[in-house]
Amino acid sequence: MKHITLTLSIFCFLVSNLVIAQSFKNASEYLDFVGEEQQAITKNMWKYTKAVAHSNSDRSIEGKRKNLLKTLDKALAKIEKADGFNGDEYKNQVLKHMRLNKSLLNHDYAEIVDMKAVAEQSYDAMEAYILAQEMADKKMEESQQEYETNFYAFAEKHAIEIIESENDLARKMKISNEVFEHYNDMYLVYFKVYINEVYLWDAVRANDVSAIQQNSNALNAAAKEGIEILKTKSKYKNDDSIINATKTAFEFFIDETENKMPHLTDFLILNEDFDKIKTTLDQTPERERTKKQIDDFNKKVKVLNKAVKNYNKVNTELNTKRQASINELNNTNANFLANHIPND
């Protein structure tokens, strides 16, 4: 009985630089042919799938996707050219799996790359982006399950014992999907709150006091609701690091809206009043300006100068605390993934 060490992954792509017909003396030789061709590409596909979800370089992701498609085309040509063993049933099953993966790369994952470019513009866009990833991964997983069923059936039919590697990529992919399920779930909880801060600072930059107050209230309510939602979230294998870092971020948003934002709106209102006084004074000929007008203007200048210092101080504090909160969450996320996703 032949023993074969099996290394499976969600993506079982085959690669070769030469397209030549091959024939096989026995079933184990054919499985060796398939296994030898798939190992290197599956490792690259592992890296690609992680980059799709988490790399910040869209250009790099797209380049990897196109290169993988070229590799897949070569692999398809090689498998199609080679003889099957004892008929083409198993060969056609392998080709079906590969063609589905190619279709997913050409369509589903290509759309995911496009969706990522606009994902951070709204919560709905981010939710759709993550959902598209999960759906594509599910299709790939279903295809993999069918592939494995066919693989084991072929081996059993020809009395080949399969010895699974302890480091097989299918196992690592399964663990990875569980890790990212927790990660994505937590990120959506965070993003639903965070997007309100984006809208808030759009209003600040526009000096729109009404919009600032409206978005500040929305952010405050969302952050408090977010903290309550975090209480319902389960740890991942006793790891609550992302939950705690997300809570810290929400606490920053609450402090920002309750204790810092009023200082900024007070300054904007004061500055708006000052502009009105200055405009009125500028439009009044010097000989017609009253002492009260000039005194009121000078007093307003002193008040405004003091307010500018306070405004800058509050802004600096906000920027420092916000960056610290972002750094903590980013570092926590990175450490969480590093700690729980198996190494290549």
Side-chain angles (χ1 to χ4, degrees):
M1 180 178 289
K2 176 68 183 285
H3 296 269
I4 291 180
T5 298
L6 172 65
T7 301
L8 292 173
S9 80
I10 293 299
F11 300 86
C12 293
F13 292 88
L14 315 179
V15 57
S16 176
N17 291 324
L18 299 176
V19 181
I20 58 176
Q22 286 182 266
S23 58
F24 307 92
K25 297 177 182 178
N26 53 57
S28 62
E29 190 176 284
Y30 188 73
L31 285 187
D32 283 341
F33 163 70
V34 172
E36 288 172 6
E37 295 296 331
Q38 77 177 16
Q39 189 170 7
I41 195 63
T42 51
K43 289 182 179 179
N44 290 331
M45 285 304 302
W46 164 264
K47 294 176 183 178
Y48 169 73
T49 53
K50 299 308 104 183
V52 168
H54 300 282
S55 173
N56 292 322
S57 175
D58 294 335
R59 184 176 180 179
S60 174
I61 294 172
E62 181 62 8
K64 290 178 182 178
R65 187 182 70 86
K66 289 180 178 179
N67 288 335
L68 283 166
L69 282 168
K70 291 178 182 177
T71 301
L72 180 54
D73 284 334
K74 292 178 183 178
L76 278 165
K78 180 173 182 179
I79 300 302
E80 288 169 348
K81 184 73 174 178
D83 294 334
F85 181 79
N86 195 22
D88 289 335
E89 181 182 9
Y90 181 63
K91 171 183 173 179
N92 290 335
Q93 290 168 347
V94 173
L95 289 173
K96 175 186 175 183
H97 177 68
M98 292 172 58
R99 287 169 183 147
L100 173 60
N101 290 338
K102 179 181 176 180
S103 176
L104 287 170
L105 274 175
N106 264 325
H107 302 290
D108 296 54
Y109 284 99
E111 289 181 7
I112 288 170
V113 172
D114 293 337
M115 292 173 72
K116 185 174 182 180
V118 298
E120 295 197 359
Q121 293 181 7
S122 70
Y123 175 78
D124 288 344
M126 179 60 71
E127 187 176 39
Y129 166 63
I130 290 178
L131 180 60
Q133 290 182 54
E134 293 175 347
M135 290 179 66
D137 289 344
K138 183 177 180 180
K139 290 179 184 179
M140 198 68 73
E141 185 175 355
E142 289 173 350
S143 175
Q144 175 62 19
Q145 289 172 352
E146 182 179 354
Y147 172 84
E148 291 186 18
T149 298
N150 295 330
F151 183 96
Y152 282 106
F154 181 84
E156 183 179 0
K157 179 179 179 181
H158 297 283
I160 300 172
E161 182 179 354
I162 305 300
I163 302 173
E164 294 192 16
S165 167
E166 291 183 358
N167 295 317
D168 67 272
L169 294 180
R171 180 186 63 83
K172 291 196 283 187
M173 184 63 78
K174 182 177 184 298
I175 294 173
S176 174
N177 287 341
E178 293 173 355
V179 173
F180 279 116
E181 183 177 356
H182 179 77
Y183 175 94
N184 288 335
D185 179 43
M186 293 306 307
Y187 188 75
L188 276 179
V189 172
Y190 168 75
F191 191 83
K192 190 172 186 178
V193 178
Y194 162 76
I195 194 65
N196 288 281
E197 202 207 23
V198 174
Y199 300 149
L200 172 59
W201 281 92
D202 285 344
V204 172
R205 283 187 286 272
N207 295 329
D208 188 334
V209 173
S210 177
I212 291 172
Q213 291 172 336
Q214 180 180 350
N215 287 291
S216 181
N217 290 337
L219 174 58
N220 184 272
K224 290 178 177 177
E225 181 183 0
I227 288 178
E228 293 305 310
I229 291 173
L230 290 178
K231 294 177 182 178
T232 69
K233 295 299 178 181
S234 300
K235 304 176 184 178
Y236 179 81
K237 293 187 176 179
N238 208 36
D239 185 344
D240 59 356
S241 58
I242 296 183
I243 296 174
N244 292 334
T246 304
K247 181 183 178 184
T248 298
F250 291 171
E251 288 171 344
F252 163 75
F253 293 143
I254 293 171
D255 178 63
E256 175 183 38
T257 55
E258 292 183 354
N259 301 317
K260 301 297 189 296
M261 205 50 59
H263 291 281
L264 302 189
T265 54
D266 286 348
F267 170 78
L268 292 176
I269 293 171
L270 178 64
N271 192 52
E272 186 177 338
D273 290 343
F274 173 79
D275 286 341
K276 291 179 181 178
I277 293 174
K278 185 176 184 302
T279 298
T280 300
L281 189 65
D282 289 342
Q283 291 174 348
T284 303
E286 285 191 31
R287 64 177 180 276
E288 296 181 12
R289 294 176 184 173
T290 66
K291 183 176 183 302
K292 184 177 184 306
Q293 278 183 306
I294 296 173
D295 288 344
D296 287 346
F297 176 78
N298 290 333
K299 288 179 182 177
K300 213 67 172 178
V301 169
K302 291 180 180 180
V303 173
L304 185 63
N305 287 337
K306 184 178 179 181
V308 166
K309 292 180 180 179
N310 184 58
Y311 179 87
N312 291 336
K313 178 184 176 183
V314 171
N315 249 333
T316 300
E317 290 177 356
L318 274 175
N319 290 335
T320 300
K321 290 182 178 180
R322 180 184 299 103
Q323 192 59 54
S325 175
I326 291 172
N327 289 343
E328 180 183 352
L329 188 57
N330 287 342
N331 290 335
T332 298
N333 286 338
N335 290 333
F336 176 82
L337 297 178
N339 290 335
H340 294 291
I341 292 181
N343 294 325
D344 290 335

